[in-house]
Amino acid sequence: MSQHCMRAGVRVLTSTKAICGVGTGNGTDARLAAETAVDEALRPLDGQEPDLVLVYASVRYDLPAVLKTVAAATGSAVIAGATSSGQLQHGQLIEPGSGIAVLALAGGGYRFGLGHATGVQADATRAGRALARAALDATGPVRSPHEAVLIFSDGLAGDQQELLNGIHKVTGFQVPVIGGAAADDRQLAETFVFAGDRVLKDAAVAVWIGSDRPLRVVGKHGWRATSLPLMLSGVDGQIVSELGGRPALEVYQENFRPRDPGAKKLYEKAGGYHSEHAFGLIQPDGSLLIRGAFIDSDGKLRTFSPMPPYSAVQVVSCDPEDLLEVGEQTVEEVMGGEEPAVVLVFDCVARLDILGQRGHEEARRLQEAAGDTPTFGYYTYGEFARTTGVAGYHNATIAAMAL
């Protein structure tokens, strides 16, 4: 397997109150858009050098130029990020196909260590383990009282849950994991992650975060079961052929809720894609882990990530209002009654499909739930939110962490 790991210098912060700025850039010129975004993000820091910089960008940009521009403006900051299918920034939705969003954070007593691993497609578990170890080693020999791992992965490479399983071998049960799979404006062609000024494919990037205060991770989905529990009796990778001994597609469609033919979409989805329904993988505690599903051009029922054979599932659906309400709940819960510097949000593009033009309302309502604390995030091809246990890769879910 072709694999490479990188360590970056640790950033150790001493101030007790973090300062955060967020900014956006648009237009066709990658350098100008990046300069606009990073200048806006740095303004609240009032000359202080940032310690963590996150970059989300549309794949239509010259990505190396974007990262070199950001790196030149932010000194020795730890830089990480991914390509997106739209961004969320301080109550505004930047729709898929446009825009660069930048976050700059300084202070807060955090320790940041950056690592990356390639070769995710060939061996996701090994890549996850190497990735987490590289990021942890980059923080130095001293461990913090509280820790979390922020990850970005190539959204079209490898088994994302297996990547998380590898990370879990390093973090154990006590360290929460948060993050998102990179996207590409719904093209489903190529996605990329960022480490420093490098643009990486078939890779994942991690930021190990050390803190003097607890770091909360919250993930919620708002989906409801429309079927009884079903055994996944026929599955080959991402193709589901049989549910409870019957043809899977037939059972799946029997449990569709009526669609709203008048709902306005932000953009047209690929033929056969049907985001209003998914699978809920039943967990030992009775909760549902959402796995996105679609009918491909050959009429086969597929999931976006493999599901274990003979597991118990339910067909699930949701309404836009369900998604809007659970987004607010996620932000409120992750803030915990405090006033953090920023709420990081990882939101699935399937949710944006369902919300349509109400995606702008979601961005606004997430910010209202956060009050004066800025929200910052992007629309992903899958979300990571693990607090205990191994499972923690989600579809059609919103995940958040406060810094």
mmCIF file of all heavy atoms in Angstrom, residues 193-238:
data_model
loop_
_atom_site.group_PDB
_atom_site.id
_atom_site.type_symbol
_atom_site.label_atom_id
_atom_site.label_comp_id
_atom_site.label_asym_id
_atom_site.label_seq_id
_atom_site.Cartn_x
_atom_site.Cartn_y
_atom_site.Cartn_z
ATOM 1 N N VAL A 193 -8.473 16.924 0.421
ATOM 2 C CA VAL A 193 -8.286 17.440 1.775
ATOM 3 C C VAL A 193 -7.011 18.275 1.801
ATOM 4 O O VAL A 193 -6.146 18.145 0.932
ATOM 5 C CB VAL A 193 -8.231 16.305 2.818
ATOM 6 C CG1 VAL A 193 -9.582 15.621 2.925
ATOM 7 C CG2 VAL A 193 -7.141 15.279 2.483
ATOM 8 N N PHE A 194 -6.896 19.132 2.822
ATOM 9 C CA PHE A 194 -5.796 20.081 2.906
ATOM 10 C C PHE A 194 -4.988 19.865 4.182
ATOM 11 O O PHE A 194 -5.556 19.712 5.271
ATOM 12 C CB PHE A 194 -6.332 21.521 2.918
ATOM 13 C CG PHE A 194 -7.342 21.824 1.847
ATOM 14 C CD1 PHE A 194 -8.411 22.673 2.108
ATOM 15 C CD2 PHE A 194 -7.233 21.276 0.573
ATOM 16 C CE1 PHE A 194 -9.346 22.971 1.129
ATOM 17 C CE2 PHE A 194 -8.165 21.566 -0.419
ATOM 18 C CZ PHE A 194 -9.224 22.416 -0.138
ATOM 19 N N ALA A 195 -3.669 19.871 4.040
ATOM 20 C CA ALA A 195 -2.755 19.805 5.187
ATOM 21 C C ALA A 195 -1.655 20.834 4.951
ATOM 22 O O ALA A 195 -0.829 20.655 4.048
ATOM 23 C CB ALA A 195 -2.165 18.410 5.348
ATOM 24 N N GLY A 196 -1.635 21.887 5.729
ATOM 25 C CA GLY A 196 -0.711 22.977 5.454
ATOM 26 C C GLY A 196 -1.037 23.576 4.098
ATOM 27 O O GLY A 196 -2.185 23.888 3.807
ATOM 28 N N ASP A 197 -0.024 23.692 3.237
ATOM 29 C CA ASP A 197 -0.278 24.222 1.898
ATOM 30 C C ASP A 197 -0.382 23.111 0.858
ATOM 31 O O ASP A 197 -0.284 23.360 -0.344
ATOM 32 C CB ASP A 197 0.806 25.230 1.493
ATOM 33 C CG ASP A 197 2.197 24.603 1.411
ATOM 34 O OD1 ASP A 197 2.335 23.393 1.709
ATOM 35 O OD2 ASP A 197 3.150 25.325 1.047
ATOM 36 N N ARG A 198 -0.627 21.876 1.315
ATOM 37 C CA ARG A 198 -0.705 20.727 0.410
ATOM 38 C C ARG A 198 -2.154 20.320 0.150
ATOM 39 O O ARG A 198 -2.986 20.305 1.059
ATOM 40 C CB ARG A 198 0.062 19.535 0.984
ATOM 41 C CG ARG A 198 1.538 19.815 1.228
ATOM 42 C CD ARG A 198 2.255 18.578 1.712
ATOM 43 N NE ARG A 198 2.241 17.525 0.693
ATOM 44 C CZ ARG A 198 2.718 16.302 0.889
ATOM 45 N NH1 ARG A 198 3.219 15.976 2.084
ATOM 46 N NH2 ARG A 198 2.688 15.401 -0.077
ATOM 47 N N VAL A 199 -2.428 19.980 -1.118
ATOM 48 C CA VAL A 199 -3.730 19.460 -1.534
ATOM 49 C C VAL A 199 -3.570 17.959 -1.745
ATOM 50 O O VAL A 199 -2.740 17.529 -2.555
ATOM 51 C CB VAL A 199 -4.203 20.138 -2.834
ATOM 52 C CG1 VAL A 199 -5.549 19.564 -3.273
ATOM 53 C CG2 VAL A 199 -4.289 21.644 -2.652
ATOM 54 N N LEU A 200 -4.364 17.152 -1.036
ATOM 55 C CA LEU A 200 -4.171 15.703 -1.020
ATOM 56 C C LEU A 200 -5.418 14.961 -1.486
ATOM 57 O O LEU A 200 -6.542 15.363 -1.182
ATOM 58 C CB LEU A 200 -3.820 15.241 0.397
ATOM 59 C CG LEU A 200 -2.592 15.902 1.042
ATOM 60 C CD1 LEU A 200 -2.502 15.514 2.504
ATOM 61 C CD2 LEU A 200 -1.327 15.519 0.298
ATOM 62 N N LYS A 201 -5.190 13.859 -2.202
ATOM 63 C CA LYS A 201 -6.253 12.971 -2.644
ATOM 64 C C LYS A 201 -5.977 11.580 -2.101
ATOM 65 O O LYS A 201 -4.821 11.239 -1.834
ATOM 66 C CB LYS A 201 -6.307 12.955 -4.179
ATOM 67 C CG LYS A 201 -7.454 12.146 -4.768
ATOM 68 C CD LYS A 201 -7.411 12.204 -6.282
ATOM 69 C CE LYS A 201 -8.504 11.330 -6.892
ATOM 70 N NZ LYS A 201 -8.451 11.328 -8.371
ATOM 71 N N ASP A 202 -7.034 10.749 -1.948
ATOM 72 C CA ASP A 202 -6.883 9.429 -1.348
ATOM 73 C C ASP A 202 -6.171 9.562 -0.007
ATOM 74 O O ASP A 202 -5.221 8.847 0.296
ATOM 75 C CB ASP A 202 -6.124 8.485 -2.271
ATOM 76 C CG ASP A 202 -6.098 7.047 -1.757
ATOM 77 O OD1 ASP A 202 -6.989 6.680 -0.951
ATOM 78 O OD2 ASP A 202 -5.182 6.293 -2.145
ATOM 79 N N ALA A 203 -6.637 10.508 0.794
ATOM 80 C CA ALA A 203 -5.932 10.872 2.025
ATOM 81 C C ALA A 203 -6.921 11.334 3.085
ATOM 82 O O ALA A 203 -8.100 11.580 2.805
ATOM 83 C CB ALA A 203 -4.917 11.988 1.743
ATOM 84 N N ALA A 204 -6.412 11.448 4.289
ATOM 85 C CA ALA A 204 -7.170 12.035 5.391
ATOM 86 C C ALA A 204 -6.226 12.891 6.223
ATOM 87 O O ALA A 204 -5.022 12.626 6.289
ATOM 88 C CB ALA A 204 -7.816 10.957 6.256
ATOM 89 N N VAL A 205 -6.770 13.929 6.827
ATOM 90 C CA VAL A 205 -6.016 14.892 7.629
ATOM 91 C C VAL A 205 -6.623 14.946 9.019
ATOM 92 O O VAL A 205 -7.852 14.902 9.165
ATOM 93 C CB VAL A 205 -6.050 16.288 6.976
ATOM 94 C CG1 VAL A 205 -5.392 17.330 7.865
ATOM 95 C CG2 VAL A 205 -5.392 16.257 5.601
ATOM 96 N N ALA A 206 -5.778 15.019 10.039
ATOM 97 C CA ALA A 206 -6.264 15.099 11.416
ATOM 98 C C ALA A 206 -5.591 16.251 12.151
ATOM 99 O O ALA A 206 -4.395 16.510 11.952
ATOM 100 C CB ALA A 206 -6.010 13.800 12.171
ATOM 101 N N VAL A 207 -6.362 16.912 12.989
ATOM 102 C CA VAL A 207 -5.834 17.891 13.945
ATOM 103 C C VAL A 207 -6.138 17.349 15.336
ATOM 104 O O VAL A 207 -7.303 17.223 15.713
ATOM 105 C CB VAL A 207 -6.473 19.282 13.763
ATOM 106 C CG1 VAL A 207 -5.909 20.257 14.798
ATOM 107 C CG2 VAL A 207 -6.250 19.806 12.341
ATOM 108 N N TRP A 208 -5.084 16.993 16.062
ATOM 109 C CA TRP A 208 -5.252 16.567 17.457
ATOM 110 C C TRP A 208 -5.356 17.831 18.303
ATOM 111 O O TRP A 208 -4.511 18.714 18.231
ATOM 112 C CB TRP A 208 -4.075 15.719 17.911
ATOM 113 C CG TRP A 208 -4.367 14.953 19.176
ATOM 114 C CD1 TRP A 208 -4.429 15.472 20.442
ATOM 115 C CD2 TRP A 208 -4.650 13.563 19.288
ATOM 116 N NE1 TRP A 208 -4.732 14.487 21.337
ATOM 117 C CE2 TRP A 208 -4.869 13.293 20.670
ATOM 118 C CE3 TRP A 208 -4.730 12.517 18.381
ATOM 119 C CZ2 TRP A 208 -5.162 12.014 21.146
ATOM 120 C CZ3 TRP A 208 -5.025 11.249 18.847
ATOM 121 C CH2 TRP A 208 -5.242 11.008 20.218
ATOM 122 N N ILE A 209 -6.404 17.921 19.094
ATOM 123 C CA ILE A 209 -6.664 19.121 19.894
ATOM 124 C C ILE A 209 -6.536 18.782 21.359
ATOM 125 O O ILE A 209 -7.226 17.884 21.867
ATOM 126 C CB ILE A 209 -8.074 19.679 19.615
ATOM 127 C CG1 ILE A 209 -8.271 19.934 18.117
ATOM 128 C CG2 ILE A 209 -8.309 20.967 20.415
ATOM 129 C CD1 ILE A 209 -9.700 20.292 17.753
ATOM 130 N N GLY A 210 -5.650 19.473 22.056
ATOM 131 C CA GLY A 210 -5.538 19.366 23.497
ATOM 132 C C GLY A 210 -6.122 20.597 24.153
ATOM 133 O O GLY A 210 -5.966 21.710 23.652
ATOM 134 N N SER A 211 -6.807 20.402 25.283
ATOM 135 C CA SER A 211 -7.524 21.511 25.915
ATOM 136 C C SER A 211 -7.529 21.345 27.432
ATOM 137 O O SER A 211 -7.490 20.225 27.948
ATOM 138 C CB SER A 211 -8.969 21.546 25.398
ATOM 139 O OG SER A 211 -9.755 22.482 26.101
ATOM 140 N N ASP A 212 -7.610 22.475 28.129
ATOM 141 C CA ASP A 212 -7.781 22.446 29.578
ATOM 142 C C ASP A 212 -9.235 22.244 29.972
ATOM 143 O O ASP A 212 -9.531 21.968 31.133
ATOM 144 C CB ASP A 212 -7.268 23.752 30.202
ATOM 145 C CG ASP A 212 -5.766 23.917 30.054
ATOM 146 O OD1 ASP A 212 -5.067 22.885 29.968
ATOM 147 O OD2 ASP A 212 -5.295 25.065 29.981
ATOM 148 N N ARG A 213 -10.136 22.405 28.997
ATOM 149 C CA ARG A 213 -11.566 22.271 29.253
ATOM 150 C C ARG A 213 -12.136 21.129 28.425
ATOM 151 O O ARG A 213 -11.609 20.807 27.359
ATOM 152 C CB ARG A 213 -12.287 23.582 28.901
ATOM 153 C CG ARG A 213 -11.825 24.781 29.723
ATOM 154 C CD ARG A 213 -12.539 26.055 29.299
ATOM 155 N NE ARG A 213 -12.214 26.442 27.934
ATOM 156 C CZ ARG A 213 -11.124 27.119 27.600
ATOM 157 N NH1 ARG A 213 -10.250 27.477 28.529
ATOM 158 N NH2 ARG A 213 -10.894 27.450 26.344
ATOM 159 N N PRO A 214 -13.236 20.531 28.871
ATOM 160 C CA PRO A 214 -13.854 19.449 28.083
ATOM 161 C C PRO A 214 -14.237 19.925 26.694
ATOM 162 O O PRO A 214 -14.636 21.075 26.492
ATOM 163 C CB PRO A 214 -15.096 19.080 28.913
ATOM 164 C CG PRO A 214 -14.771 19.509 30.301
ATOM 165 C CD PRO A 214 -13.930 20.751 30.157
ATOM 166 N N LEU A 215 -14.108 19.031 25.718
ATOM 167 C CA LEU A 215 -14.467 19.312 24.327
ATOM 168 C C LEU A 215 -15.663 18.446 23.968
ATOM 169 O O LEU A 215 -15.562 17.219 23.910
ATOM 170 C CB LEU A 215 -13.284 19.005 23.403
ATOM 171 C CG LEU A 215 -12.046 19.892 23.617
ATOM 172 C CD1 LEU A 215 -10.831 19.298 22.928
ATOM 173 C CD2 LEU A 215 -12.303 21.305 23.102
ATOM 174 N N ARG A 216 -16.789 19.094 23.745
ATOM 175 C CA ARG A 216 -18.025 18.356 23.476
ATOM 176 C C ARG A 216 -18.210 18.117 21.984
ATOM 177 O O ARG A 216 -18.002 19.016 21.171
ATOM 178 C CB ARG A 216 -19.238 19.122 24.021
ATOM 179 C CG ARG A 216 -19.385 19.073 25.528
ATOM 180 C CD ARG A 216 -20.687 19.760 25.968
ATOM 181 N NE ARG A 216 -20.628 21.200 25.713
ATOM 182 C CZ ARG A 216 -20.134 22.079 26.569
ATOM 183 N NH1 ARG A 216 -19.653 21.670 27.730
ATOM 184 N NH2 ARG A 216 -20.136 23.370 26.279
ATOM 185 N N VAL A 217 -18.630 16.910 21.648
ATOM 186 C CA VAL A 217 -18.988 16.540 20.282
ATOM 187 C C VAL A 217 -20.430 16.058 20.297
ATOM 188 O O VAL A 217 -20.805 15.220 21.114
ATOM 189 C CB VAL A 217 -18.062 15.442 19.730
ATOM 190 C CG1 VAL A 217 -18.639 14.820 18.463
ATOM 191 C CG2 VAL A 217 -16.671 16.013 19.464
ATOM 192 N N VAL A 218 -21.239 16.589 19.399
ATOM 193 C CA VAL A 218 -22.659 16.217 19.325
ATOM 194 C C VAL A 218 -23.005 15.911 17.868
ATOM 195 O O VAL A 218 -22.617 16.651 16.960
ATOM 196 C CB VAL A 218 -23.564 17.357 19.839
ATOM 197 C CG1 VAL A 218 -25.040 16.986 19.670
ATOM 198 C CG2 VAL A 218 -23.265 17.660 21.305
ATOM 199 N N GLY A 219 -23.722 14.814 17.649
ATOM 200 C CA GLY A 219 -24.225 14.471 16.326
ATOM 201 C C GLY A 219 -25.690 14.073 16.409
ATOM 202 O O GLY A 219 -26.067 13.257 17.248
ATOM 203 N N LYS A 220 -26.533 14.652 15.569
ATOM 204 C CA LYS A 220 -27.973 14.351 15.558
ATOM 205 C C LYS A 220 -28.449 14.284 14.111
ATOM 206 O O LYS A 220 -27.859 14.899 13.225
ATOM 207 C CB LYS A 220 -28.761 15.415 16.318
ATOM 208 C CG LYS A 220 -28.497 15.457 17.830
ATOM 209 C CD LYS A 220 -29.319 16.537 18.504
ATOM 210 C CE LYS A 220 -29.072 16.591 19.996
ATOM 211 N NZ LYS A 220 -29.574 15.381 20.681
ATOM 212 N N HIS A 221 -29.563 13.559 13.883
ATOM 213 C CA HIS A 221 -30.001 13.429 12.494
ATOM 214 C C HIS A 221 -31.456 13.812 12.229
ATOM 215 O O HIS A 221 -31.783 14.289 11.155
ATOM 216 C CB HIS A 221 -29.730 12.013 11.979
ATOM 217 C CG HIS A 221 -30.340 10.912 12.796
ATOM 218 N ND1 HIS A 221 -31.692 10.643 12.797
ATOM 219 C CD2 HIS A 221 -29.764 9.998 13.618
ATOM 220 C CE1 HIS A 221 -31.918 9.607 13.579
ATOM 221 N NE2 HIS A 221 -30.774 9.200 14.099
ATOM 222 N N GLY A 222 -32.388 13.574 13.124
ATOM 223 C CA GLY A 222 -33.773 13.982 12.895
ATOM 224 C C GLY A 222 -34.564 13.061 11.990
ATOM 225 O O GLY A 222 -35.691 13.402 11.605
ATOM 226 N N TRP A 223 -34.023 11.888 11.612
ATOM 227 C CA TRP A 223 -34.731 10.953 10.754
ATOM 228 C C TRP A 223 -35.639 10.048 11.590
ATOM 229 O O TRP A 223 -35.340 9.742 12.740
ATOM 230 C CB TRP A 223 -33.738 10.096 9.964
ATOM 231 C CG TRP A 223 -32.963 10.872 8.953
ATOM 232 C CD1 TRP A 223 -31.955 11.765 9.210
ATOM 233 C CD2 TRP A 223 -33.116 10.843 7.542
ATOM 234 N NE1 TRP A 223 -31.482 12.289 8.042
ATOM 235 C CE2 TRP A 223 -32.168 11.738 6.995
ATOM 236 C CE3 TRP A 223 -33.957 10.144 6.686
ATOM 237 C CZ2 TRP A 223 -32.043 11.957 5.626
ATOM 238 C CZ3 TRP A 223 -33.832 10.348 5.319
ATOM 239 C CH2 TRP A 223 -32.885 11.244 4.797
ATOM 240 N N ARG A 224 -36.739 9.606 10.966
ATOM 241 C CA ARG A 224 -37.705 8.746 11.648
ATOM 242 C C ARG A 224 -37.926 7.473 10.836
ATOM 243 O O ARG A 224 -37.948 7.498 9.610
ATOM 244 C CB ARG A 224 -39.046 9.483 11.805
ATOM 245 C CG ARG A 224 -38.936 10.789 12.580
ATOM 246 C CD ARG A 224 -40.267 11.512 12.597
ATOM 247 N NE ARG A 224 -40.174 12.817 13.233
ATOM 248 C CZ ARG A 224 -41.177 13.673 13.322
ATOM 249 N NH1 ARG A 224 -42.360 13.361 12.795
ATOM 250 N NH2 ARG A 224 -41.013 14.840 13.918
ATOM 251 N N ALA A 225 -38.111 6.364 11.543
ATOM 252 C CA ALA A 225 -38.316 5.083 10.880
ATOM 253 C C ALA A 225 -39.666 5.050 10.174
ATOM 254 O O ALA A 225 -40.684 5.490 10.718
ATOM 255 C CB ALA A 225 -38.235 3.947 11.890
ATOM 256 N N THR A 226 -39.682 4.529 8.942
ATOM 257 C CA THR A 226 -40.928 4.324 8.206
ATOM 258 C C THR A 226 -41.190 2.831 7.971
ATOM 259 O O THR A 226 -42.182 2.471 7.345
ATOM 260 C CB THR A 226 -40.901 5.049 6.847
ATOM 261 O OG1 THR A 226 -39.825 4.543 6.058
ATOM 262 C CG2 THR A 226 -40.723 6.543 7.049
ATOM 263 N N SER A 227 -40.289 1.983 8.451
ATOM 264 C CA SER A 227 -40.476 0.536 8.317
ATOM 265 C C SER A 227 -40.235 -0.133 9.661
ATOM 266 O O SER A 227 -39.661 0.460 10.578
ATOM 267 C CB SER A 227 -39.503 -0.058 7.290
ATOM 268 O OG SER A 227 -38.207 -0.187 7.853
ATOM 269 N N LEU A 228 -40.662 -1.360 9.780
ATOM 270 C CA LEU A 228 -40.301 -2.199 10.912
ATOM 271 C C LEU A 228 -38.826 -2.586 10.777
ATOM 272 O O LEU A 228 -38.238 -2.455 9.701
ATOM 273 C CB LEU A 228 -41.175 -3.452 10.941
ATOM 274 C CG LEU A 228 -42.673 -3.224 11.189
ATOM 275 C CD1 LEU A 228 -43.429 -4.535 10.999
ATOM 276 C CD2 LEU A 228 -42.909 -2.639 12.571
ATOM 277 N N PRO A 229 -38.204 -3.079 11.838
ATOM 278 C CA PRO A 229 -36.827 -3.560 11.696
ATOM 279 C C PRO A 229 -36.738 -4.665 10.645
ATOM 280 O O PRO A 229 -37.588 -5.550 10.569
ATOM 281 C CB PRO A 229 -36.496 -4.089 13.093
ATOM 282 C CG PRO A 229 -37.372 -3.287 14.011
ATOM 283 C CD PRO A 229 -38.653 -3.093 13.244
ATOM 284 N N LEU A 230 -35.701 -4.608 9.823
ATOM 285 C CA LEU A 230 -35.492 -5.551 8.736
ATOM 286 C C LEU A 230 -34.078 -6.106 8.808
ATOM 287 O O LEU A 230 -33.134 -5.386 9.153
ATOM 288 C CB LEU A 230 -35.678 -4.850 7.384
ATOM 289 C CG LEU A 230 -37.029 -4.197 7.109
ATOM 290 C CD1 LEU A 230 -36.898 -3.180 5.978
ATOM 291 C CD2 LEU A 230 -38.054 -5.264 6.745
ATOM 292 N N MET A 231 -33.920 -7.387 8.468
ATOM 293 C CA MET A 231 -32.583 -7.954 8.418
ATOM 294 C C MET A 231 -31.964 -7.676 7.057
ATOM 295 O O MET A 231 -32.597 -7.879 6.021
ATOM 296 C CB MET A 231 -32.606 -9.464 8.662
ATOM 297 C CG MET A 231 -31.218 -10.106 8.554
ATOM 298 S SD MET A 231 -31.210 -11.876 8.879
ATOM 299 C CE MET A 231 -31.398 -11.848 10.660
ATOM 300 N N LEU A 232 -30.722 -7.218 7.074
ATOM 301 C CA LEU A 232 -29.987 -6.975 5.846
ATOM 302 C C LEU A 232 -29.450 -8.326 5.363
ATOM 303 O O LEU A 232 -28.296 -8.681 5.592
ATOM 304 C CB LEU A 232 -28.848 -5.986 6.114
ATOM 305 C CG LEU A 232 -28.149 -5.347 4.921
ATOM 306 C CD1 LEU A 232 -29.121 -4.531 4.102
ATOM 307 C CD2 LEU A 232 -27.011 -4.461 5.411
ATOM 308 N N SER A 233 -30.322 -9.067 4.686
ATOM 309 C CA SER A 233 -30.019 -10.466 4.365
ATOM 310 C C SER A 233 -29.224 -10.644 3.086
ATOM 311 O O SER A 233 -28.722 -11.742 2.817
ATOM 312 C CB SER A 233 -31.319 -11.275 4.279
ATOM 313 O OG SER A 233 -32.257 -10.647 3.422
ATOM 314 N N GLY A 234 -29.086 -9.597 2.284
ATOM 315 C CA GLY A 234 -28.292 -9.677 1.068
ATOM 316 C C GLY A 234 -27.576 -8.383 0.804
ATOM 317 O O GLY A 234 -28.211 -7.372 0.472
ATOM 318 N N VAL A 235 -26.237 -8.361 0.959
ATOM 319 C CA VAL A 235 -25.461 -7.151 0.731
ATOM 320 C C VAL A 235 -24.088 -7.530 0.215
ATOM 321 O O VAL A 235 -23.475 -8.494 0.681
ATOM 322 C CB VAL A 235 -25.350 -6.299 2.020
ATOM 323 C CG1 VAL A 235 -24.671 -7.074 3.138
ATOM 324 C CG2 VAL A 235 -24.603 -5.005 1.757
ATOM 325 N N ASP A 236 -23.615 -6.793 -0.781
ATOM 326 C CA ASP A 236 -22.287 -6.988 -1.337
ATOM 327 C C ASP A 236 -21.624 -5.633 -1.444
ATOM 328 O O ASP A 236 -21.871 -4.874 -2.385
ATOM 329 C CB ASP A 236 -22.379 -7.658 -2.707
ATOM 330 C CG ASP A 236 -21.000 -7.924 -3.317
ATOM 331 O OD1 ASP A 236 -19.997 -7.750 -2.610
ATOM 332 O OD2 ASP A 236 -20.949 -8.296 -4.508
ATOM 333 N N GLY A 237 -20.825 -5.297 -0.448
ATOM 334 C CA GLY A 237 -20.222 -3.974 -0.414
ATOM 335 C C GLY A 237 -21.284 -2.909 -0.220
ATOM 336 O O GLY A 237 -21.963 -2.871 0.797
ATOM 337 N N GLN A 238 -21.459 -2.055 -1.229
ATOM 338 C CA GLN A 238 -22.427 -0.974 -1.140
ATOM 339 C C GLN A 238 -23.749 -1.314 -1.828
ATOM 340 O O GLN A 238 -24.661 -0.494 -1.832
ATOM 341 C CB GLN A 238 -21.836 0.295 -1.757
ATOM 342 C CG GLN A 238 -20.667 0.866 -0.963
ATOM 343 C CD GLN A 238 -19.968 1.981 -1.685
ATOM 344 O OE1 GLN A 238 -18.900 1.808 -2.270
ATOM 345 N NE2 GLN A 238 -20.569 3.157 -1.680
#
